[in-house]
Amino acid sequence: MLSGNQVALAYLVASVFFILALKGLSSPLTSRRGNLFGMIGMAIALAVTLTLTKNWGIIIGGIALGGAIGAVVARKVQMTAMPELVAFMHSLVGMAAVLIAIAAVNNPLAFGIVKAAGDAIPMGNKLELFIGTFVGAMTFSGSVIAFLKLSGRMSGAPIVFSGQHLLNLLMGLSMFGCGLWFFASGGTNWTAFIAMTAIAFVLGFLIIVPIGGADMPVVISMLNSYSGWAAAGIGFSLNNPMLIIAGSLVGSSGAILSYIMCKAMNRPFLSVILGGFGTDSGAAAAAGGEQKTHRSGSAEDAAFLMGNADSVIIVPGYGLAVARAQHAVKELAYKLREKGVTVRFAIHPVAGRMPGHMNVLLAEAEIPYDQVLEMDEINSDFPTTDVVLVLGANDVVNPAAKTPGSPIFGMPILEADKARTVMVVKRSMAAGYAGLDNDLFYMDKTMMVFGDAKKVVEDMVKAVG
């Protein structure tokens, strides 16, 4: 049994490792080290926590069961399913916070919240349990909706109805009213607590359903932040400094990431929460506009142009992930470099369905990090680039972002339209998540190559020879 000072010191060491983990994960070059630091910190935290209880069998059994399930899922999940897996994991964190809060309200003595059976829960602890519970409940239901949207089990289009914002406001006020009722009650007011929790579950659902697919990267980072704050709130209730620190780190880093994502999309964070990115009107405009003509070609044509270029920039998008074409793209880049072509990759912060989705895909294919550049680093190079190869990307290269009145006006994009030649690999001319047509596809300098990204790129590799 460790002394109080030893526990505090061990938790401090674990916290330092968590901070180093976040620092390491800020760059692809140090991400593996960051993951290692995070695992070491978690191992220390778990080991110390086990010394504070006698129920080793139950805890270790739960860890073993959860670890086994996690290992199986991690081995089977495809990279295309990574965003929905992250959303699913966020839901589990939220539900864990709710269940811990319920257990603490039911038996505060076991959690050290009161000194004797029958004592009333202190008002400070009630406030902490209220915050941790409603944030956790909203995180759970919101993450479930995000999972359903990302996995295709629910339409990715915004689900809106008349009076939606007013309903959200009324439910939010009701939730806080029930929370204040629970807070002000002398004893344990289960009616107020259960009502508050139920409303929070429904509110999490209502907040996420009107958010369209194009905003999913922001939703993922936002839910990540929520899960952290839920854990931190419960940590205060349990007087566990490790849970407070870890939750605060997750919550603050998620909030910062959400801000970065919103900035990359030129979207006020509040508008994402209240309305969503895509609209039915935008999709209708794309579908009902005037008929345009585009120029199409074959994989062999594209290979000829790239093989005779001095510089090529490859822009990966979600279509690359769906086709699992990252390894074929690596081979194409290698073949082109053998012919003396300078090849680089351009990454938009919100490409794919979660922050860093494209970076993870390219890293899986072991594409060197120095060849992968972020939008701010590479945008100035497009005008001097011979060929841009767009693989399954749409909204992040849409010049409509420069047109006043467009739903995506002001959103920073990869300026592929400024290159000398543009080649776009897509399955069809369908619009992207924002529901908008892309003028890039109809430019004279653009050649469309239709087909599965992996098959098309493999044909390009054969043609480059």
Side-chain angles (χ1 to χ4, degrees):
M1 186 76 175
L2 298 177
S3 67
N5 288 337
Q6 290 173 324
V7 170
L9 179 60
Y11 277 160
L12 178 61
V13 172
S15 300
V16 171
F17 275 107
F18 287 148
I19 294 171
L20 291 174
L22 283 178
K23 174 64 176 176
L25 292 171
S26 64
S27 169
L29 295 173
T30 57
S31 59
R32 290 188 178 181
R33 187 171 62 204
N35 274 324
L36 177 60
F37 284 148
M39 289 188 286
I40 293 173
M42 184 56 68
I44 294 173
L46 283 173
V48 173
T49 302
L50 285 174
T51 67
L52 304 179
T53 180
K54 297 179 180 179
N55 299 319
W56 281 42
I58 297 175
I59 295 175
I60 293 177
I63 292 174
L65 177 61
I69 295 173
V72 172
V73 172
R75 290 182 65 86
K76 289 188 175 182
V77 69
Q78 300 292 335
M79 289 304 300
T80 51
M82 194 60 65
E84 51 259 46
L85 176 64
V86 172
F88 178 73
M89 294 302 179
H90 288 161
S91 73
L92 296 181
V93 176
M95 181 54 76
V98 173
L99 294 177
I100 292 172
I102 293 174
V105 173
N106 181 62
N107 191 354
L109 179 62
F111 288 85
I113 296 175
V114 298
K115 295 182 179 179
D119 288 352
I121 299 175
M123 295 185 72
N125 291 104
K126 282 188 175 182
L127 178 62
E128 295 157 0
L129 288 168
F130 160 60
I131 295 174
T133 302
F134 87 77
V135 175
M138 291 175 63
T139 301
F140 171 78
S141 54
S143 297
V144 169
I145 297 303
F147 168 79
L148 294 175
K149 281 177 172 278
L150 289 167
S151 62
R153 293 173 173 84
M154 176 184 287
S155 172
I159 300 174
V160 296
F161 53 86
S162 179
Q164 189 169 35
H165 297 328
L166 178 60
L167 177 61
N168 289 349
L169 176 61
L170 292 175
M171 293 198 68
L173 292 175
S174 300
M175 181 187 71
F176 279 105
C178 290
L180 291 174
W181 183 19
F182 170 73
F183 176 72
S185 299
T188 301
N189 190 334
W190 276 106
T191 301
F193 183 81
I194 292 173
M196 177 269 296
T197 305
I199 295 172
F201 276 123
V202 176
L203 192 56
F205 166 81
L206 291 174
I207 285 176
I208 302 301
V209 291
I211 299 179
D215 276 337
M216 275 302 142
V218 178
V219 172
I220 292 293
S221 58
M222 177 190 72
L223 292 171
N224 177 55
S225 179
Y226 284 2
S227 66
W229 296 126
I234 297 302
F236 278 106
S237 301
L238 304 182
N239 195 28
N240 188 310
M242 184 70 264
L243 197 54
I244 296 171
I245 294 172
S248 299
L249 287 172
V250 173
S252 57
S253 61
I256 293 170
L257 183 58
S258 298
Y259 170 76
I260 294 173
M261 294 296 103
C262 284
K263 185 178 180 182
M265 300 170 69
N266 194 37
R267 299 282 288 159
F269 183 71
L270 187 60
S271 73
V272 173
I273 300 303
L274 295 180
F277 192 95
T279 62
D280 292 338
S281 60
E290 62 181 72
Q291 191 69 26
K292 300 178 182 178
T293 59
H294 61 271
R295 183 167 60 98
S296 61
S298 65
E300 290 73 20
D301 297 331
F304 175 80
L305 291 172
M306 288 188 291
N308 288 278
D310 290 326
S311 58
V312 171
I313 293 178
I314 300 176
V315 178
Y318 185 64
L320 172 77
V322 172
R324 305 171 193 169
Q326 59 269 33
H327 296 285
V329 170
K330 176 189 177 182
E331 188 176 357
L332 174 63
Y334 176 77
K335 292 285 187 180
L336 290 173
R337 289 195 184 91
E338 281 190 327
K339 297 177 72 70
V341 181
T342 300
V343 182
R344 291 173 297 169
F345 294 82
I347 304 294
H348 192 282
V350 297
R353 291 190 175 183
M354 62 178 281
H357 196 182
M358 296 301 104
N359 300 78
V360 172
L361 282 177
L362 298 181
E364 184 190 29
E366 299 184 346
I367 293 173
Y369 297 131
D370 59 355
Q371 297 170 13
V372 181
L373 303 178
E374 299 296 328
M375 177 178 64
D376 293 339
E377 299 175 294
I378 202 167
N379 253 352
S380 60
D381 293 345
F382 281 108
T384 58
T385 299
D386 293 323
V387 177
V388 170
L389 177 63
V390 180
L391 293 169
N394 197 325
D395 298 326
V396 297
V397 292
N398 194 340
K402 304 173 187 177
T403 304
S406 167
I408 63 171
F409 173 64
M411 171 182 168
I413 61 169
L414 290 166
E415 298 178 342
D417 57 300
K418 293 185 177 180
R420 298 188 180 103
T421 301
V422 181
M423 294 179 297
V424 181
V425 178
K426 279 175 61 71
R427 291 180 180 271
S428 69
M429 295 295 290
Y433 276 161
L436 300 175
D437 207 357
N438 193 334
D439 288 339
L440 175 66
F441 301 162
Y442 307 101
M443 291 182 174
D444 293 337
K445 66 172 68 177
T446 302
M447 182 176 72
M448 304 297 298
V449 183
F450 296 109
D452 176 81
K454 183 177 181 180
K455 177 65 168 59
V456 170
V457 173
E458 287 174 344
D459 290 342
M460 290 179 181
V461 171
K462 294 175 183 177
V464 170

